[in-house]
Amino acid sequence: LAAAGASLESLSAAGVLFICVALVSQVLTVAATYVGENVGWNATNRLRVDLALHCLCLDMPFHKTHTPGEMIERIDGDVSAMSNFFSTFVIKVLGNMLLMLGVLALLFREDWRIGLALSSFAALTMLVMVRLNGFAVPAMRGEREAAAGLFGFIEERLSGLHDIRANGGGGHVMRGMYGAMSLLYRRGRRAWKAEGAMWSISFALFALGDIAVIAVGAFLYQAGAITLGTVFLIFQYTMMLRRPLEEITEQLKDLQKAGAGLIRVQELTAIPVAIRDGHGANFPAGPLAVGFEGVSFGYGEEEMVVHDLSLGLKPGTVLGLLGRTGSGKTTITRLLLRLYDPATGAVKLGGVDVRDAGLEELRHHIGVVTQDVQLFNATVRDNLTMFDKRITDNRILEVIGDLGLHAWYEMLPDGLDTTLGPGGGGLSAGEAQLLAFTRVFLRDPGLVILDEASSRLDPATERLIERAVDRLLRGRTGIIIAHRLSTVQRADEIMVLEGGRVLEHGPRVLLAGDPHSRFSHLLRTGMEEVLA
C-alpha cells in the first residue's frame, strides 16, 4: 500500500487490521492450548485409571514378578509420554497443515514455478518424515523399559531399607543402582541418537529447500521474470513454510514417543485376568462353613504345595492350623480368599463354591488379620473403614468399645482424625494389629482368618490383643494359623500340615489327650521351637 501511494487512512486501517488479526491469533492460540491440554489430561488420567484398575485385577503371579516401582512407571511414566500426543498432536498438525497450504497458495500466486518447486519440496519432506515414523520407537521403548527397571529397583531397596542397613548391604545396593542407571543412560542415549537422526534428516531437507528456492529465484530474476523484491518475498515465504514443517516434524517425534508408550500400555492391558467374578451366589448369614474337597494346588510351574486336601469345618468352629514354614498353611487362606484357584478340587464357603461367587462379595464375608498389617498415610478413621464413607463414627466407636480398646483410643491425640504416617508410622506392631482387628470387626464377616504375629508384645498390648481375639471369634467361624500355645487353646479343632498334606486333624481336646498324637508332641516339646 505504501509503495502504491495509498492514503494515511488506508495505511492506518491496514495497521489496525494487522493488530486485530494478531490479537485474535493469540487468543485462538491460548484457547487451543487450553482445550488441547484439557483433552490431554482427561485422556491420560482416564487411561491411568483404567491401567491401575487392570493391575489391581491381575492375578498374584503377575505381582510376584513385577515390583510396585515398575508398575508406577508403567501406569504413570508410559502414559505421561503420551500426554503431548493427546493434547497437541491434532491441533498442531491441522493448524500447521493449514498454514503450509496458505503459504504454498501465496507462492503459486507470486509465480507458479516457485509454487510448484516449494510444493514438491514440502511433499518430499512430508513423505520422508512419514516414512521415518516408527524409526525411533524401538529405542524409545527400550528407554521406557530401563526407566521402569530403575524405578522398580529403587522401590524394592527402599522398602527393605532396615535389612540393608542392618546387614551392611549399602555397597551392593549402590552397585546395583549404578548398573540400573547405566542401562538407562545407554538406552536413553540410543533413543536420543535415533531422535537426533530424525532432526538431522529434517535439517538437511530444509537446507536443500533453501538452496532450491535461492537457485530458482536467482534463475527467474536473471530471466527477468520476477523482481529482486519478489525474490526476497519468496525467501520469506519459504521461511514461513519451514515453521509448519518443523512443527509437524516435532509432532511426529512425539508420535513416536507416544507409540513407544502405547506399545507398553497395550502389552500390559493384553495380560489376561485368570481370577474373574463368578456368576454370583448368596452366602448365608452368620458363621460360615468351610469346605475343601480334594484340593491340590501349586504356584505356577512349581510342584504342588497342597495335595488332595479335604476339610469340613462346621459354622462357628475355630480351627487351629499348625505346620512348619512351607507346609501350606498360608496357601489354604489364599485359596479361601480366591487369590488363586485350585488346580483340582473345590473350595467352598457357606456351602458355595468360591468360584461361583463375586470376588467382592466373597472377600466381604472373610476377615483377615495377618502378621504384617497394611496401614495407609491417612486418618485412623480411613484406616479402620478402608475409606468406606458409609460407616459412621458412632459405629466405629461402638466397635472400639466392644473390643475393649477405649483406653487405647483415648491416647490418640486427635481421635479418629489422628493421621497415621506412611505404613502406619508412629504405631507399634501391637497397635497396628489392634487397628486390623477393629477393621475386620466393622465388616462383620462370617469367617475370620488370624495369622498370629510371632513377635512378643508388651503385656498391656498383649492383653488387649487377647481380648480382641476372643471378641472377634465369638459367633464366627475361625481359622488360626497358630504359633503360640496361648492362641491354639482357643481352637475347637486342630489340623497339622506337613508338606502340603494333612498329617493330623481332630478335636483339640482329644488330640491333646492322646500321647501318640503329633499335637500332643508339640505341646510337650514347645510349639514355638518345633514350628519355627
Side-chain angles (χ1 to χ4, degrees):
L1 291 175
S7 64
L8 182 61
E9 289 79 7
S10 299
L11 291 175
S12 300
V16 171
L17 178 62
F18 176 80
I19 292 173
C20 291
V21 170
L23 289 174
V24 171
S25 175
Q26 290 297 317
V27 171
L28 290 176
T29 300
V30 171
T33 301
Y34 173 80
V35 171
E37 291 296 328
N38 190 47
V39 170
W41 275 108
N42 284 334
T44 52
N45 282 338
R46 289 177 183 175
L47 185 55
R48 288 185 183 93
V49 169
D50 291 341
L51 284 176
L53 181 60
H54 180 68
C55 287
L56 287 174
C57 295
L58 286 175
D59 308 310
M60 296 305 294
F62 171 84
H63 291 286
K64 282 181 173 291
T65 56
H66 296 81
T67 65
E70 181 185 352
M71 288 298 96
I72 291 172
E73 179 63 12
R74 295 288 292 270
I75 293 171
D76 183 64
D78 289 343
V79 175
S80 294
M82 302 165 64
S83 59
N84 286 341
F85 170 75
F86 282 117
S87 62
T88 61
F89 182 81
V90 174
I91 293 176
K92 285 193 174 181
V93 168
L94 288 179
N96 284 293
M97 287 291 290
L98 290 174
L99 177 59
M100 184 173 64
L101 291 175
V103 171
L104 290 175
L106 289 174
L107 287 170
F108 270 104
R109 180 184 175 186
E110 292 296 330
D111 190 283
W112 68 269
R113 289 161 292 190
I114 292 291
L116 182 62
L118 266 295
S119 297
S120 300
F121 161 71
L124 175 64
T125 302
M126 293 296 297
L127 178 62
V128 171
M129 291 297 102
V130 169
R131 291 296 297 271
L132 285 175
N133 186 33
F135 169 73
V137 168
M140 291 179 176
R141 179 185 175 188
E143 182 185 20
R144 302 304 313 157
E145 290 174 351
L150 177 61
F151 272 78
F153 178 90
I154 293 173
E155 181 276 332
E156 189 175 37
R157 271 51 181 186
L158 287 178
S159 63
L161 186 61
H162 294 296
D163 290 335
I164 290 171
R165 285 181 172 178
N167 294 284
H172 173 73
V173 169
M174 293 310 299
R175 284 192 296 273
M177 181 78 172
Y178 294 145
M181 293 177 65
S182 176
L183 178 63
L184 178 59
Y185 167 73
R186 292 195 302 271
R187 292 191 176 180
R189 183 176 60 182
R190 191 179 306 157
W192 180 85
K193 286 181 178 179
E195 189 176 351
M198 287 187 61
W199 179 86
S200 299
I201 292 172
S202 63
F203 181 82
L205 288 172
F206 293 143
L208 289 175
D210 292 344
I211 294 171
V213 168
I214 292 173
V216 173
F219 172 77
L220 293 176
Y221 172 70
Q222 290 179 346
I226 57 176
T227 64
L228 186 63
T230 304
V231 173
F232 177 77
L233 184 63
I234 290 171
F235 185 77
Q236 289 298 108
Y237 281 151
T238 305
M239 293 294 101
M240 291 179 65
L241 183 64
R242 183 171 183 170
R243 176 188 168 190
L245 287 173
E246 287 179 340
E247 286 280 357
I248 292 172
T249 301
E250 286 297 319
Q251 292 305 308
L252 288 175
K253 291 179 185 177
D254 284 341
L255 179 60
Q256 296 206 48
K257 292 179 182 178
L262 184 60
I263 289 173
R264 285 167 51 80
V265 167
Q266 288 176 331
E267 289 175 349
L268 186 58
T269 55
I271 298 173
V273 178
I275 307 295
R276 295 185 178 274
D277 272 331
H279 54 71
N282 295 322
F283 293 97
L288 298 172
V290 175
F292 282 72
E293 299 175 357
V295 171
S296 295
F297 172 77
Y299 294 99
E301 299 299 324
E302 301 175 17
E303 294 183 3
M304 294 294 171
V305 295
V306 174
H307 304 268
D308 195 26
L309 174 66
S310 293
L311 164 67
L313 200 61
K314 294 180 180 179
T317 303
V318 177
L319 175 69
L321 202 54
L322 310 179
R324 295 178 183 273
T325 300
S327 61
K329 304 186 301 295
T330 302
T331 299
I332 288 176
T333 65
R334 290 172 178 170
L335 291 172
L336 272 168
L337 287 163
R338 209 179 165 220
L339 299 176
Y340 301 89
D341 278 337
T344 61
V347 179
K348 294 187 175 181
L349 182 67
V352 176
D353 192 320
V354 296
R355 287 171 293 197
D356 294 335
L359 292 173
E360 184 176 353
E361 182 68 12
L362 169 68
R363 292 164 188 171
H364 180 77
H365 284 81
I366 303 176
V368 182
V369 180
T370 63
Q371 296 183 34
D372 299 317
V373 180
Q374 180 63 57
L375 298 175
F376 303 94
N377 183 17
T379 63
V380 170
R381 177 188 296 103
D382 288 336
N383 273 281
L384 292 177
T385 63
M386 290 298 287
F387 307 94
D388 187 349
K389 302 301 182 184
R390 295 172 298 178
I391 301 177
T392 64
D393 288 357
N394 289 336
R395 174 59 180 157
I396 297 172
L397 295 176
E398 179 186 344
V399 170
I400 287 175
D402 287 343
L403 292 178
L405 305 180
H406 248 308
W408 168 80
Y409 170 75
E410 293 296 332
M411 293 188 296
L412 297 175
D414 298 315
L416 295 177
D417 293 318
T418 301
T419 301
L420 303 181
L427 292 182
S428 67
E431 289 171 334
Q433 279 207 322
L434 291 174
L435 278 177
F437 282 119
T438 309
R439 178 189 291 172
V440 170
F441 204 95
L442 283 169
R443 292 168 55 191
D444 193 20
L447 170 65
V448 174
I449 299 173
L450 303 179
D451 190 350
E452 182 189 40
S454 56
S455 58
R456 297 297 300 175
L457 305 172
D458 62 90
T461 304
E462 189 167 1
R463 283 193 296 271
L464 288 176
I465 293 286
E466 294 294 326
R467 189 185 309 164
V469 170
D470 288 337
R471 185 66 184 87
L472 191 60
L473 291 176
R474 192 180 304 161
R476 294 179 176 87
T477 306
I479 296 178
I480 302 176
I481 300 177
H483 301 280
R484 295 186 295 175
L485 184 60
S486 59
T487 303
V488 83
Q489 297 301 329
R490 292 186 173 86
D492 303 307
E493 298 180 9
I494 297 293
M495 175 181 283
V496 182
L497 296 176
E498 188 170 299
R501 291 182 169 86
V502 178
L503 185 64
E504 189 171 78
H505 179 211
R508 176 182 59 82
V509 176
L510 293 180
L511 291 178
D514 182 357
H516 303 292
S517 71
R518 176 65 171 167
F519 178 59
S520 178
H521 172 72
L522 290 174
L523 295 178
R524 291 195 305 269
T525 56
M527 284 179 53
E528 291 88 343
E529 288 76 14
V530 177
L531 298 179

